[in-house]
Amino acid sequence: MRTIGMLGGMSWESTADYYRLINRGVAERRGGLHSASILLHSFDFARIAELQAAGDWAGAGDVLAGAAVGLERAGATALLICANTMHHVAEQVQAAVRIPLLHIVDPTGEALRAAGVRRPALLGTRYTMEFPFWRERLAARFGVDTIIPDEDDRAAVHRVIYEELCRGVVRDESRNEYLRIIERLRGRGADAVILGCTEIALLIRPGEAPLPDFDTTAAHARAAVDHLLDGDG
């Protein structure tokens, strides 16, 4: 089995989901007492969030890249950034190491293409929704035209992520607000919704949205399992 290096803690709530999903995926495919070979660097998210808020993405990229080098030296054969937003610095992280970075957009894009989705809505942090790194990669590699909520709804989605979900708070009122936002996006022509923050799956349960939902955490975890077991007998 190969070894996956996880850049986590952004937030630890969703990183715990990654750990569970990857180990469960290996156990289901290998059986018995098998679990995943994982190396984890878990950041103090407050430090990363401060760099985000200050717009110091190069500095945040340096922090992640340094940790990635450490994971590579420790024996990781591929890397996961366990957060959608921090894929804004994915190229900087990849440039620091020789092992592959498994990008979160790619397994999600493959799932969208397989399902025939052409115009999904994207929910995530303000950075993920407004910066081009997610939408441009999805369009270039998978021919998918992504739409995002309007400004007020983007603010609401972002607030719930940072003030509630990253702190382990799951509120029915916030779930209902997200469902209303997804319904408005359906009215604008969205044919699916991407849960483009690794915490959103803590709030929106599978099949609960008024559109087909694609959980980026689950898709990313499946890609990690594929890497871990690729070539195993």
Side-chain angles (χ1 to χ4, degrees), residues 48-132:
I48 303 298
E50 288 171 1
L51 293 168
Q52 292 174 344
D56 187 3
W57 294 97
D62 284 343
V63 172
L64 266 66
V69 169
L71 290 172
E72 182 179 37
R73 288 175 178 165
T77 55
L79 295 172
L80 294 184
I81 299 175
C82 299
N84 277 277
T85 294
M86 293 312 297
H87 279 75
H88 185 51
V89 299
E91 291 183 4
Q92 188 176 348
V93 174
Q94 180 65 86
V97 295
R98 292 169 294 176
I99 58 176
L101 172 69
L102 306 183
H103 200 290
I104 199 167
V105 169
D106 297 340
T108 306
E110 289 166 3
L112 291 166
R113 182 165 58 191
V117 173
R118 301 299 302 168
R119 198 162 188 256
L122 174 63
L123 299 185
T125 67
R126 179 179 293 279
Y127 313 116
T128 296
M129 292 184 288
E130 296 180 357
F131 291 177

Side-chain angles (χ1 to χ4, degrees), residues 123-124 157 161 165 178 194-204:
L123 299 185
V157 171
I161 291 168
L165 300 179
Y178 269 49
I194 299 167
L195 307 184
C197 173
T198 51
E199 281 78 24
I200 294 179
L202 304 173
L203 184 68
I204 304 296

Side-chain angles (χ1 to χ4, degrees), residues 95-177:
V97 295
R98 292 169 294 176
I99 58 176
L101 172 69
L102 306 183
H103 200 290
I104 199 167
V105 169
D106 297 340
T108 306
E110 289 166 3
L112 291 166
R113 182 165 58 191
V117 173
R118 301 299 302 168
R119 198 162 188 256
L122 174 63
L123 299 185
T125 67
R126 179 179 293 279
Y127 313 116
T128 296
M129 292 184 288
E130 296 180 357
F131 291 177
F133 67 94
W134 228 103
R135 290 175 285 121
E136 286 186 353
R137 189 179 182 101
L138 199 57
R141 294 190 171 218
F142 302 98
V144 173
D145 178 24
T146 308
I147 63 174
I148 61 174
D150 64 25
E151 185 173 358
D152 287 345
D153 285 348
R154 292 197 303 271
V157 171
H158 183 91
R159 178 193 61 77
V160 169
I161 291 168
Y162 277 85
E163 295 182 11
E164 298 176 18
L165 300 179
C166 287
R167 305 178 188 206
V169 177
V170 178
R171 300 173 63 243
D172 288 340
E173 295 87 348
S174 296
R175 178 180 298 109
N176 292 335
E177 186 172 21

